[in-house]
Amino acid sequence: MTSAQRVDTDEQTDLAARLRLVVGRLHRRIRIDGRESIPPLQLSALATVEQHGPLRLSELARREAVTAPTMSRVLAALDDQGLVIRTPDPSDARGVRIVLSEEGAARLAEVRSHRTALVARRLARLDADQRQILEAAMPALEALLVDDD
């Protein structure tokens, strides 16, 4: 590895560390400031059901990277709040699929709207040049969300 390649690698590693730190802290700040009544895993499960549903419990647990018993407890809490609906699985008489209820969709939209407003307030503190830089960086940041596979 040449010294120029080593410098590029070091700069990329430094950028990766800074980006990880700022994204993590911003996300935490939004969660804290948001004071949502729905715990993070329940909220994430709702978003996953909205995006990929209807889902079986096992598929939802896999997508959320939790065990089936953990997801079962999450779904019980969401069901108790009327945020999801369990429907029969047409391909398996014993199975059920999870879909969002109207209330679940409304609560998810409310949380997103509130979180967007929190970020908008933080963006308003930046000057026009900083906001323009962020706008220009959005395609690159969005590209980071694309999975390798």
Side-chain angles (χ1 to χ4, degrees):
M1 178 182 291
T2 68
S3 63
Q5 289 172 320
R6 197 172 13 265
V7 168
D8 284 349
T9 300
D10 290 346
E11 288 175 358
Q12 187 170 328
T13 300
D14 290 346
L15 177 60
R18 288 178 64 202
L19 182 61
R20 177 192 50 77
L21 187 63
V22 75
V23 168
R25 286 182 174 171
L26 181 60
H27 181 257
R28 191 173 325 112
R29 185 82 261 149
I30 292 165
R31 249 190 14 247
I32 291 166
D33 292 350
R35 296 183 198 94
E36 281 96 17
S37 60
I38 303 172
L41 182 54
Q42 290 179 24
L43 194 58
S44 182
L46 284 177
T48 299
V49 169
E50 178 190 57
Q51 184 177 11
H52 301 286
L55 293 172
R56 294 178 58 103
L57 181 142
S58 58
E59 175 65 9
L60 183 55
R62 186 188 65 76
R63 288 183 178 274
E64 291 296 316
V66 299
T67 64
T70 296
M71 186 51 63
S72 182
R73 287 188 296 276
V74 166
L75 287 175
L78 292 172
D79 197 17
D80 288 347
Q81 297 173 69
L83 303 179
V84 295
I85 300 169
R86 297 171 192 250
T87 61
D89 185 337
S91 64
D92 180 359
R94 297 171 298 149
V96 296
R97 291 186 175 227
I98 311 302
V99 296
L100 281 186
S101 67
E102 285 185 31
E103 177 65 18
R107 292 276 292 280
L108 195 53
E110 179 184 305
V111 167
R112 286 178 174 150
S113 176
H114 184 67
R115 286 183 173 190
T116 297
L118 290 169
V119 174
R121 283 197 294 276
R122 288 180 176 273
L123 285 172
R125 297 189 309 217
L126 303 178
D127 64 37
D129 288 340
Q130 290 172 315
R131 285 192 303 273
Q132 188 174 14
I133 289 167
L134 278 176
E135 174 113 20
M138 287 307 298
L141 292 170
E142 290 164 345
L144 294 175
L145 295 173
V146 177
D147 290 333
D148 291 335
D149 50 45

